Amino acid sequence: MSVETQKETLGFQTEVKQLLHLMIHSLYSNKEIFLRELISNASDAVDKLRFEALAKPELLEGGAELKIRVSFDKDAKTVTLEDNGIGMNRDDVITHLGTIAKSGTADFMKNLSGDQKKDSHLIGQFGVGFYSAFIVADKVDVYSRRAGTPASEGVHWSSKGEGEFEVATIDKPERGTRIVLHLKSAEDEFADGWRLRNIIKKYSDHIALPIELPKEVTAAEGEEKPAVEWETVNRASALWTRPRTEVKDEEYQEFYKHIAHDFENPLAWSHNKVEGKLEYSSLLYVPARAPFDLYQREAPKGLKLYVQRVFVMDQAESFLPLYLRFIKGVVDSNDLSLNVSREILQKDPIIDSMKSALTKRVLDMLEKLAKNEPEQYKGFWKNFGQVMKEGPAEDFANKEKIAGLLRFASTQGDDGEQVVGLADYLARAKEGQDKIYYLTGETYAQVKNSPHLEVFRKKGIEVLLLTDRIDEWLMSYLSEFDGKTFVDVARGDLDLGNLDSEEDKKAAEEVAKSKEGLVERLKTALGDSVAEVRVSHRLTDSPAILAIGEQDLGLQMRQILEASGQKVPESKPIFEFNPSHPLIEKLDGEQNEGRFGDLSHILFDQAALAAGESLKDPAAYVTRLNKLLVELSA
Ligand code: ADP
């Protein structure tokens, strides 16, 4: 036992304590994953060393093959993992094994329900990493030394996984990290060569460096203890370099879990090798579930970058656009230089062409998923649809392709689920329909019953119902799909084109003519509140409606601007009335100008309410309405 100096006891960050508690209580049904997590960390540590050694070969300290060793002691009930990777110094150990660095962690912890089944899913999304050691161990010792530091600067970290941990400085001749798990008495089954070998084969076969286990050697006669011989138990080659046909689905899945720190299988993947002017391999995955920090600005995103199989950096963000930030994967280039930096990546023209090729791969993969696995695609859309909606604004070149992947609620469904694609919509469009109709609003319940839909319902024309906050903004970037223009049914002078017969149009013109007098009276009565008054042909049941001017901002955009403290340009609605509604007929016949004014304002306010807006002067509305009610009952 080496001498320990500068010993101190420190407390875990609160979030670590919560995570530890939850993990131990939620992941008991899948205990063996602790080994996968620790091997994954060891493999990352070796990758980091290999990379840093490119610039500083002395870090390799005279060589030794890079590897991970897993051993066990049945009597002592321990499992030990040892790597000769980058290692940690005292400060590293205190931060990495005492806190959680992910942004948004505290908020995430608040979401946990205490229901173990639900929480185990959430924890899976969060990723548990090193702390998973405490699923099977009641004490964990970590001995580490950072490559390039003297042997005397080794560090020993030790904890029972409760509230605190100890650190001390030790002598550690070998570089890298050794982790000793003191197994809980019920978990001693893991101190077994056969068991460990199976777990490694199952979860870590794809790890690109050798994972060794001691060979079972029987002692030669007269010998007390045989010398340990090691054997490699995994395949130990980079998975993405192997031909697609030779990689099993399970291997792709386990590799995903390693790079994505996810517990669940991915929804889809795309593995490609590009040869020619540029040479690179890529393996891209669509996760099944959104990570808890998808909307955090600083959340990790981007691919793992390798250059000629050497790991170069995590979270290389330059290979995919922001709206595909949920994609996980690796890219291994033969063209980049090993000392490439983030700054260089941002400017390199090679990266631009890789980015557009990889983007296309992702969109193709999603198209395929949508086509072949519509149920899975529904799940994808629930998790990532909002992010995909950022696409048309960011990625002009792929606008049409992205539009094809979008899913909306529509008047065809009755539960507001976003399942209608634009291609489906067009496939069942009415004969002669050359537009894609949509309506935006606050909530599905509100738009579903909007008077704007009356004429569409009458004619059996489908309308997309867009109620995500981002939708109106999205639609400002989409003008057409498959050659058909988008039309906001609440905007401008709705022209149904070929969907209205010549007779309909003629009849409408005649009605409009006959109501010119009423239009003028309404203009005078409503005055400043409206931009225009006209006869509507969108209504069947409601007396009146407010339409938005062709160039004006809609309600959603106004609210977004207001919320961000920006000045919103003033715009007035267009008041449209339904000439055949009994209330309008009554209004037309009203001789008393005072009552005409009151009734007009009531209709105007009601139309605003139906559009989901709040009234500028609600008290005036109530007063007018009550006045009429009194007259009515008099
Ligand atoms: P994650 O791997 O998701 O970052 P972990 O909790 O598993 O989270 O690990 C925290 C950090 O501890 C790692 O990011 C790494 O910096 C460090 N670490 C863990 N295991 C090792 C190891 N075997 N060698 C060197 N550093 C390690």
Side-chain angles (χ1 to χ4, degrees), residues 236-479:
S237 71
L239 179 120
W240 65 90
T241 60
R242 291 162 50 197
R244 246 187 326 223
T245 45
E246 285 176 20
V247 185
K248 289 195 285 247
D249 284 0
E250 295 77 42
E251 293 179 277
Y252 278 122
Q253 288 162 345
E254 285 311 324
F255 183 71
Y256 164 77
K257 291 177 190 166
H258 163 57
I259 57 159
H261 299 272
D262 195 347
F263 272 47
E264 274 182 74
N265 284 332
L267 274 189
W269 56 86
S270 165
H271 180 190
N272 296 92
K273 196 174 181 140
V274 175
E275 274 160 347
K277 219 163 83 209
L278 286 181
E279 287 192 9
Y280 62 91
S281 304
S282 62
L283 174 49
L284 305 172
Y285 290 95
V286 183
R289 224 181 252 267
F292 78 100
D293 52 4
L294 184 63
Y295 293 100
Q296 300 268 340
R297 206 185 279 267
E298 325 79 78
K301 49 184 159 290
L303 304 176
K304 248 173 134 80
L305 174 64
Y306 288 76
V307 171
Q308 295 171 31
R309 307 213 200 327
V310 177
F311 167 78
V312 170
M313 71 177 76
D314 265 320
Q315 297 160 33
E317 294 176 20
S318 308
F319 293 94
L320 287 174
L322 209 54
Y323 72 96
L324 298 179
R325 59 184 176 271
F326 53 86
I327 297 291
K328 304 280 184 197
V330 299
V331 51
D332 185 348
S333 159
N334 279 349
D335 307 297
L336 292 170
S337 135
L338 275 162
N339 56 19
V340 66
S341 66
R342 281 182 204 277
E343 291 67 39
I344 294 175
L345 284 182
Q346 277 165 13
K347 291 187 224 119
D348 196 331
I350 293 183
I351 307 303
D352 275 343
S353 59
M354 286 174 76
K355 180 177 179 179
S356 54
L358 293 171
T359 302
K360 187 144 176 310
R361 289 236 184 275
V362 173
L363 298 176
D364 286 346
M365 166 164 58
L366 292 172
E367 259 170 22
K368 222 163 104 191
L369 185 71
K371 188 158 163 262
N372 301 338
E373 318 260 1
E375 276 310 307
Q376 303 250 44
Y377 193 78
K378 262 190 210 169
F380 163 77
W381 187 257
K382 274 208 186 92
N383 278 277
F384 302 107
Q386 298 270 329
V387 186
M388 288 299 292
K389 285 181 176 176
E390 298 171 13
E394 187 188 357
D395 188 357
F396 195 78
N398 288 306
K399 211 151 100 167
E400 182 85 359
K401 229 170 154 50
I402 302 165
L405 292 166
L406 301 176
R407 293 294 180 269
F408 302 101
S410 96
T411 47
Q412 287 263 318
D414 54 7
D415 52 5
E417 234 201 310
Q418 299 184 2
V419 291
V420 180
L422 296 172
D424 310 327
Y425 177 93
L426 288 176
R428 55 184 183 231
K430 280 264 163 221
E431 173 111 10
Q433 181 183 345
D434 58 356
K435 302 275 192 299
I436 301 171
Y437 296 102
Y438 70 93
L439 175 64
T440 59
E442 287 273 283
T443 60
Y444 174 72
Q446 178 212 317
V447 289
K448 188 177 67 164
N449 297 318
S450 165
H452 283 287
L453 297 174
E454 287 174 10
V455 66
F456 292 92
R457 211 166 276 134
K458 186 172 126 198
K459 292 182 182 284
I461 303 169
E462 182 172 7
V463 178
L464 301 174
L465 302 175
L466 277 50
T467 53
D468 284 338
R469 243 177 101 77
I470 190 175
D471 283 339
E472 199 185 315
W473 175 81
L474 162 70
M475 296 316 285
S476 69
Y477 286 92
L478 285 180
S479 47

